[in-house]
Amino acid sequence: MIQSRNAFGFLTGIFILIFGLGLTTYSQAQDASDFKINQTQTLDLKQAIQISLANNTQMKRSLLSVRDADQQVRNAWSNVMPEVSASANYTRNLEVPVNFIPAIIFDPNANPDDLIPVAFGTDNNWQGGFTVSQTLFSGQAFVGISSSELYKTAQSEGMRATAQGIVTQTRVTYYQALVAKEQLRLVETQINRIKENLEDTRKLFEQGFTDDYAILQLEVQLSNLEPQLTQAEFAVDEALRNLLDVMGLPVQLSVDIKGNLSDYKIDDNSVTDPENKELHEVDTMTPLVLTTDSSEIEQAFELRGDLRVLDIQKQLQGKQLDAQRSAYLPTVFANYGLNWTASQRGKPVFFGTEQTRARSQTLTVGVQLPIFQGFSRDAAIQRSKIQIKDTDLQMYQAQQTANKEIYNAKQGVRQALKTSDALMKAIKQAELGYERSLIRYQNGVGSQQEVTDAELQLRQAEINYAQMVSGYLSAKAQYDQAIGEVPFVGQDIQDIKETIELK
């Protein structure tokens, strides 16, 4: 009798995966093998995103989950497909078995207690045949098929969700690396300004317009900036290592990235610096809607893989409930057998001859109906209902969280837009103040302290602007992820599956 196989393997193990995908093309993405340890490679933002999608470990694991789901679908179908098996065996009686039977069978006058030995069997015995088993009806098996398809869809959504998260993480990490580079540049610029000022001061000292204390002050400033320069260099190195890690590349590689935050205009569609071309293109791939729009949350549930998988999880739990209920239904099965037997004396001939060989066929149809199995079936049904209600609560919480993520990202963008003009104005004023303080000092009407203060104000203004631009770009990346419209990520994941470097 064929037992129905357990189909619940496809109804459990659904994970609320984080992030997803549907890529355009990766023809320009660089393979990890293209990078050399001792040779610096310069990347733009698009290339960094493409490499991350192709090499990141999370992306590779999500692809394996999708492939595993494909095999589970095949396994679910095997539960309702026929099973065909063949068997054959040969027995050689080295001594023919002997049985004892009453002698009265052959001699009516014999003593009823007498037994005579009789040899039964032949020297050679053959058996062989085929067996076909088919499940005609099994509620759990049929539910398992549809459940496995849903499970595969859930894993695909999980992969798309992972890709959305990887793209966002790459963007934010890239922007953080640009901020670190900008801070290093500003420290180097400050050192150059002080060196120029020191050279001018020495000339003034030689002409008798100042004393050596002014020179000493500038030399002390240079000495104090050396540790800052070292810290800035290490900060850039750490930021680039973080980016390499997100891209799935060895952190020992030497890379540089394109982008100039000091020249990036967040409220201007024109790009004056070629270094910022890819930054601007990625930023504008998704439109920004700062007004209150209730359709954004609907769009998020339609496009975000981590939210879509919740809906699939609820459907799976509905299938699990159906499977639990089907445990009360009978299982119908059929068996067909085709067999040959042969017996032969003396020297063995494979399966004997036509005179010593016989064939038989059997067909069995059976029904198995579970009557009582304790309270396990009812308890399983109630647990499935509880899990569905729990998923409803998770979906409600996910909606609240998505609303907050969208709102927070918008607030970050609004803050950057509101402070952009003021920060740009502060830079211009700080530049003008530094120039005037330097002229005043060179003309003998100003002090070295005025120049130092003006230089520090200029550097702080430039840092504030770079951090504002990075904050805007990061908030925009988080907004794209919050609404599910991430650059390079669409609803079809086929392009990504074909591009991931899984070795």
Side-chain angles (χ1 to χ4, degrees):
M1 182 174 294
I2 302 298
Q3 301 288 339
S4 62
R5 293 191 178 89
N6 188 350
F8 298 140
F10 308 102
L11 302 173
T12 56
I14 293 297
F15 313 110
I16 303 177
L17 305 171
I18 317 169
F19 324 124
L21 192 169
L23 195 63
T24 53
T25 178
Y26 289 46
S27 58
Q28 298 178 352
Q30 291 178 263
D31 187 274
S33 60
D34 294 337
F35 291 86
K36 297 178 175 59
I37 296 293
N38 298 321
Q39 180 178 347
T40 300
Q41 302 285 336
T42 301
L43 302 174
D44 57 46
L45 180 56
K46 286 184 176 180
Q47 291 173 325
I49 292 173
Q50 292 167 345
I51 293 173
S52 295
L53 289 172
N55 292 287
N56 185 273
T57 303
Q58 294 182 41
M59 290 303 306
K60 295 179 180 181
R61 293 187 64 189
S62 63
L63 176 59
L64 290 177
S65 297
V66 173
R67 292 182 177 178
D68 180 69
D70 288 334
Q71 301 308 313
Q72 294 201 41
V73 171
R74 296 179 62 194
N75 186 61
W77 276 102
S78 68
N79 293 330
V80 295
M81 297 181 70
E83 288 188 3
V84 181
S85 60
S87 63
N89 61 75
Y90 163 71
T91 302
R92 172 70 179 187
N93 288 318
L94 301 179
E95 292 184 3
V96 177
V98 174
N99 292 286
F100 292 88
I101 63 175
I104 197 173
I105 295 176
F106 300 98
D107 183 5
N109 298 322
N111 188 336
D113 296 331
D114 292 342
L115 299 176
I116 61 173
V118 178
F120 287 95
T122 55
D123 297 329
N124 306 290
N125 297 277
W126 312 81
Q127 293 86 31
F130 297 91
T131 300
V132 181
S133 304
Q134 174 66 56
T135 299
L136 301 179
F137 176 80
S138 174
Q140 291 185 345
F142 293 136
V143 172
I145 293 173
S146 57
S147 298
S148 64
E149 294 287 352
L150 279 175
Y151 182 77
K152 176 183 176 181
T153 303
Q155 296 301 320
S156 297
E157 289 300 328
M159 183 176 183
R160 191 156 62 90
T162 301
Q164 289 174 333
I166 292 301
V167 171
T168 303
Q169 186 180 4
T170 303
R171 293 172 69 181
V172 173
T173 307
Y174 191 98
Y175 302 145
Q176 291 172 345
L178 286 179
V179 169
K181 284 189 62 179
E182 183 66 13
Q183 290 178 331
L184 174 61
R185 184 189 70 82
L186 293 177
V187 172
E188 293 173 340
T189 301
Q190 185 180 11
I191 290 176
N192 292 332
R193 288 173 183 154
I194 294 177
K195 286 182 177 179
E196 292 176 359
N197 191 12
L198 178 60
E199 184 178 351
D200 293 338
T201 301
R202 284 172 175 163
K203 291 179 180 179
L204 292 175
F205 173 74
E206 293 172 356
Q207 297 171 2
F209 291 108
T210 186
D211 56 15
D212 58 352
Y213 180 69
I215 296 176
L216 180 61
Q217 282 184 309
L218 292 174
E219 290 175 342
V220 170
Q221 289 184 44
L222 280 177
S223 298
N224 288 334
L225 283 175
E226 289 180 359
Q228 296 184 31
L229 179 63
T230 301
Q231 292 175 359
E233 291 172 344
F234 275 88
V236 171
D237 185 60
E238 181 181 3
L240 292 176
R241 288 201 308 270
N242 292 337
L243 180 61
L244 285 168
D245 183 57
V246 174
M247 291 191 295
L249 298 176
V251 295
Q252 296 87 355
L253 295 178
S254 177
V255 296
D256 193 11
I257 55 176
K258 295 175 63 176
N260 183 6
L261 297 183
S262 64
D263 194 47
Y264 193 94
K265 305 297 186 294
I266 65 175
D267 55 354
D268 189 355
N269 290 328
S270 61
V271 180
T272 58
D273 191 342
E275 287 275 310
N276 294 329
K277 178 182 177 183
E278 287 75 18
L279 291 180
H280 185 267
E281 288 180 358
V282 173
D283 179 50
T284 55
M285 282 183 179
T286 302
L288 177 65
V289 180
L290 290 178
T291 58
T292 302
D293 191 351
S294 60
S295 64
E296 286 178 326
I297 189 63
E298 298 177 1
Q299 179 180 350
F301 268 90
E302 181 180 351
L303 298 178
R304 281 179 56 167
D306 58 329
L307 298 181
R308 285 167 61 100
V309 78
L310 276 175
D311 181 62
I312 298 174
Q313 182 180 4
K314 183 177 179 180
Q315 296 179 48
L316 271 167
Q317 289 171 344
K319 293 293 184 182
Q320 185 174 10
L321 179 59
D322 293 339
Q324 301 289 1
R325 287 171 173 165
S326 68
Y328 287 94
L329 299 177
T331 299
V332 183
F333 60 90
N335 290 339
Y336 169 76
L338 176 61
N339 298 283
W340 286 269
T341 60
S343 297
Q344 175 195 6
R345 298 184 62 184
K347 183 179 179 181
V349 176
F350 184 73
F351 261 91
T353 63
E354 292 185 3
Q355 291 75 23
T356 61
R357 183 172 57 241
R359 188 183 74 175
S360 63
Q361 298 185 67
T362 60
L363 177 63
T364 303
V365 178
V367 178
Q368 182 183 14
L369 178 63
I371 305 260
F372 180 73
Q373 296 177 341
F375 303 105
S376 60
R377 288 179 293 183
D378 183 67
I381 290 174
Q382 296 306 318
R383 289 191 63 194
S384 295
K385 291 180 179 179
I386 292 172
Q387 291 172 1
I388 291 174
K389 292 181 179 179
D390 182 66
T391 302
D392 287 334
L393 292 175
Q394 292 182 43
M395 294 180 71
Y396 173 77
Q397 182 60 48
Q399 180 177 351
Q400 297 294 98
T401 303
N403 266 323
K404 184 178 70 173
E405 291 172 349
I406 294 172
Y407 180 80
N408 289 343
K410 283 185 175 181
Q411 288 296 92
V413 172
R414 289 192 183 101
Q415 179 181 355
L417 292 173
K418 286 184 177 181
T419 59
S420 174
D421 292 339
L423 291 173
M424 291 182 65
K425 182 178 179 180
I427 290 178
K428 293 179 180 179
Q429 291 174 334
E431 288 175 345
L432 181 60
Y434 175 75
E435 292 173 359
R436 288 186 176 180
S437 66
L438 192 60
I439 293 174
R440 282 170 52 83
Y441 174 69
Q442 292 172 345
N443 291 331
V445 296
S447 66
Q448 179 60 50
Q449 187 61 41
E450 290 180 354
V451 177
T452 301
D453 292 342
E455 198 280 332
L456 290 175
Q457 291 174 357
L458 175 57
R459 179 189 172 194
Q460 188 61 51
E462 292 172 327
I463 290 177
N464 290 342
Y465 184 81
Q467 290 176 339
M468 180 275 298
V469 173
S470 175
Y472 162 79
L473 292 173
S474 297
K476 179 57 167 52
Q478 292 162 354
Y479 170 82
D480 294 344
Q481 183 183 5
I483 65 173
E485 198 169 348
V486 178
F488 297 97
V489 179
Q491 297 192 39
D492 186 7
I493 66 168
Q494 188 60 36
D495 291 337
I496 296 177
K497 291 170 64 176
E498 295 176 353
T499 310
I500 293 178
E501 297 179 8
L502 188 61
K503 299 178 181 178

